[in-house]
Amino acid sequence: MKARKPTQSSCCGHDDDHDHQSHTTAHDHTAGHSHDDDDHDHSHDSGDLKQEIILVSIVVVLFLIGFILEQQLHNTPYSIAEYAVLIPAYLLSGWGVLTSAGRNILKGRLFDENFLMTIATLGAISIHLLPEAVAVMLFFRIGELFQESAVGRSRKSISALLEVRPDTANLKLNGEVRPVSPESVKVGDMILVKPGEKIPLDGEILDGNSQVDTSALTGESVPRTVKPGETVLAGMINQSGVLTIRTTKLFGESSIARILELVENASSKKAETEKFIRKFAKIYTPIVVFLSLAVAILPPLFMNNPTDADRFRWVYNALVLLVISCPCGLVISIPLGYFGGVGGAAKRGVLVKGSTYLDTLAAVNTVVFDKTGTLTQGVFKVTQIIPKNGFTEEKLLALAAQVEAHSNHPVAQSIRTAYGQAIDESQVQDYKEIAGHGIQAKVGNQLVIAGNDRLLHRENIAHDVCQVDGTVVHLATNGTYAGRIIIADELKEDAVEAIRSLRKIGVEKTIMLTGDNQSVADGVARQLGLSGYRAELLPEGKVEAIEQILRESGKGKVAFVGDGINDAPVIARADVGMAMGGLGSDAAIETADVVIMTDAPSKIAEAIQIGRKTHRIVIQNIVMAMVVKGFFIILGAFGIATLWEAVFADVGVALLAVLNANRVVR
């Protein structure tokens, strides 16, 4: 079961129990460009592109031969030789436009660029202006070739970033283990989960002990120990031992499926953005068609005894008007601008799933973050050692490393890593874990306890502080408080710079939502200089929080950046959802509109800037096309511009727009 947001088309004119505390960590997406079946199929692989170049080359040769024939035989416009060369050239270059226009007419979609070019070129043929008709179709085809080349490069940039990792379940059956789809596993089946694998279905552990990373589901910062008899959920990551699990739910009823259902419900609240050119074309094209009819019909009606030459002249002016009005420049340059933005972003490690999201990125004024795996690394490290009652930092760390010598807990591992020396385990005796509290052991002749604040209160050990920012291990020897060690999930290297960059480009608010505790969240928010934070949130709470932020954002757009499965509903609900793709969960990546493939928070500001630049260039192209076309429409209506001038004006606008659009990639 996968939830996918609707993919907008980017082409104009195309429809496109060592309880040391808590924390969060957790790629399959195929990016594609979609079109409705009533439009040109713009998806070419390299082989198709070569065929297209060959076809265009043939049409160019036929066009030049026909043009020369037309010039040589200008006194005999009905030359069979000219028609024999130019009609095939017209059909080869314009077949896609003609068939698209026909299909759209049958579906009741009369006025679009295909219809406009069809009637303009057929009209030109009807008055024996074959070279002009072929030129309109040929230049449009060449423009599309430019577009496809750029789109192809963008797609290659995108696909190179994607790593497909299908989820499987290792089914144990009759003493054999074989990988199967999680959907095919039944309740009561046995599955094997190896270290590093994602648990595919909810179930009960029959055999094996391990540490599981629950952060993708619960937001807990510290992995928890699991043993036979305990329940594990789909989406948890098995970190150490091999687990044999008996499934208790079907895949469709699992934790992952429930969260993905939340994603689907959240996605349905988002309205699709209709492209400007679609709305514009509904008004623009009919006006142009009727204006051209008026130019062809009305002037001769008001003339006394109009001759055939008079009628021909006004029909010619009408065709000039139609050719000038063809929105080829827009049809080529707008999608090229967006694909340039998508490709340029991909080269920088940012996957944008459609042109709509570039527009939304351009309007972002609030960025909301998940904490773990997004702003922090999800890796534990000793950050502070606070000795008490005569202990030094070195002695306290050595004592902690010794008492934690037999523990496989990530917190214990971080302490031993910080100590960095060999540990004489023979000095550690009577080791025992106190569930939900910590560890007790004899180290030499000292009775040492190491654990959380609850353990100190249970043992009635006097200490100076209870609430500490971050994950804390308190130590005491022979009933006397020895100090504490702070273990924190480190900030990503560029997290501070990322927040600074967002403020620099004008993002007004930076807010963090996390399932972690209040003190940890407060510490991270202060380190980064965030505008605000909300802590101890379940997935449902994050959705409610983003809803409130959306209501408060006014006209500006809200981006949410996350990485865990529990972030997927929030990613879906935000105006633009962004996922950390390198370590992020499949569900978050599948749901997100934008994927940061490098896991670097600093890329968020870069993505917003790319969105803004793309938006500016697209607007520039629209304005340029409208101004130039408006000018030539006036000239054409009064018979000042010829059909050739109309063709070159249209092609000139298209080429300028293409050059402008290519600036996005650079």
Side-chain angles (χ1 to χ4, degrees), residues 616-657:
R616 279 198 307 272
I617 285 174
V618 167
I619 295 300
Q620 288 167 6
N621 282 349
I622 290 171
V623 171
M624 176 179 66
M626 295 305 164
V627 170
V628 173
K629 284 186 180 295
F631 176 71
F632 275 91
I633 282 171
I634 294 169
L635 295 182
F638 288 97
I640 299 171
T642 67
L643 199 53
W644 280 110
E645 287 167 344
V647 170
F648 285 114
D650 187 51
V651 172
V653 169
L655 290 177
L656 285 173

Side-chain angles (χ1 to χ4, degrees), residues 159-219:
S159 60
L161 294 169
L162 296 176
E163 176 193 356
V164 179
R165 296 187 308 163
D167 287 333
T168 58
N170 299 315
L171 181 65
K172 285 185 76 172
L173 199 62
N174 301 324
E176 294 184 1
V177 177
R178 59 188 179 91
V180 298
S181 168
E183 287 91 340
S184 66
V185 179
K186 301 171 185 175
V187 173
D189 282 351
M190 308 295 177
I191 57 173
L192 195 73
V193 183
K194 301 171 186 175
E197 290 184 342
K198 185 189 301 179
I199 295 173
L201 296 107
D202 294 1
E204 180 186 344
I205 297 175
L206 296 180
D207 184 49
N209 294 276
S210 185
Q211 297 281 332
V212 292
D213 178 0
T214 66
S215 56
L217 291 171
T218 65

Side-chain angles (χ1 to χ4, degrees), residues 361-405:
L361 279 170
V364 165
N365 70 353
T366 301
V367 179
V368 184
F369 300 89
D370 170 50
K371 181 176 75 69
T372 308
T374 302
L375 293 171
T376 63
Q377 294 178 2
V379 178
F380 291 102
K381 186 176 181 181
V382 172
T383 57
Q384 196 175 8
I385 302 170
I386 305 169
K388 297 288 181 179
N389 298 322
F391 276 84
T392 63
E393 288 188 14
E394 292 77 12
K395 283 185 179 180
L396 188 66
L397 182 59
L399 183 67
Q402 284 180 299
V403 78
E404 299 275 14

